[in-house]
Amino acid sequence: MRRGLFVVFEGIDASGKSTQARRVAALHAAHFAFEPGDSTLGADLRRWLLDASLHMEPETEALLMLSDRSHHVRSVIEPALERGRDVVLDRYFASTLAYQGYGRGVDLEELRVATQLAIGTCMPDLTILLDIDLDVANERRERDAKDRFESADLDFHARVRDGYLELARTYADAWFIVDGSKGEDEVAAAIDERLSHLSWSHG
Ligand code: TYD
């Protein structure tokens, strides 16, 4: 049986990636999933990870993200792909490189090695980066209670954004950058045009 298609959405908070990821999954009848926290084990990890009142070292944060990912890949993503099901995932290992690596300063090479342990050979066919300016992100972000990452300072988010752009340029064949500051329909059209070149199981 043909392996399913694996498409990942990445971007800083408020980039609009979750809306687009869910839309694309529905359009192609693909399995939609997200990280961190899209499993029974992951739901507990997500609570700790997002709790802004809980002190955590950057390395600890990275390892919890990777724990969630290794369980998610082996219990959900890989089995779905092997069954021939297409998978659309909201955040994957590039989030850890961007947030914990570029953002928090965890050593990138060590993160890459640990990531390999977490995901094995389960690589996406395409990663779509919704890139937005930090001012646009700030305007969009709600002013109410913020989680650990939303409450981080502007410099942190600037490093995360730059990290994403560096990853996208380094692995240009497997990434597609979309200007996420455009209107939702325009962003959707750019994404759909790129995704129309892939062979989906449905539509
Ligand atoms: P997410 O649920 O995608 O939130 P949002 O919709 O606001 O983007 O992710 C929650 C937070 O977790 C987000 O701020 C990014 C952070 N994160 C990391 O720092 N490292 C990771 O590996 C992942 C998957 C997420």
Side-chain angles (χ1 to χ4, degrees), residues 11 15 39 43 50 74-75 78 86-87 96 120 122 124 131 137-138 170 192:
S15 61
S39 65
L50 297 193
R74 286 166 175 80
S75 64
E78 191 58 46
D86 299 330
V87 174
T96 309
C122 193
D131 178 55
N138 269 339
T170 306
D192 288 346

Side-chain angles (χ1 to χ4, degrees), residues 50-70:
L50 297 193
D51 185 349
S53 68
L54 195 67
H55 171 75
M56 201 181 283
E57 293 72 21
E59 290 76 11
T60 310
E61 189 180 279
L63 289 167
L64 285 179
M65 291 291 181
L66 290 169
S67 300
D68 171 59
R69 183 159 307 126
S70 83

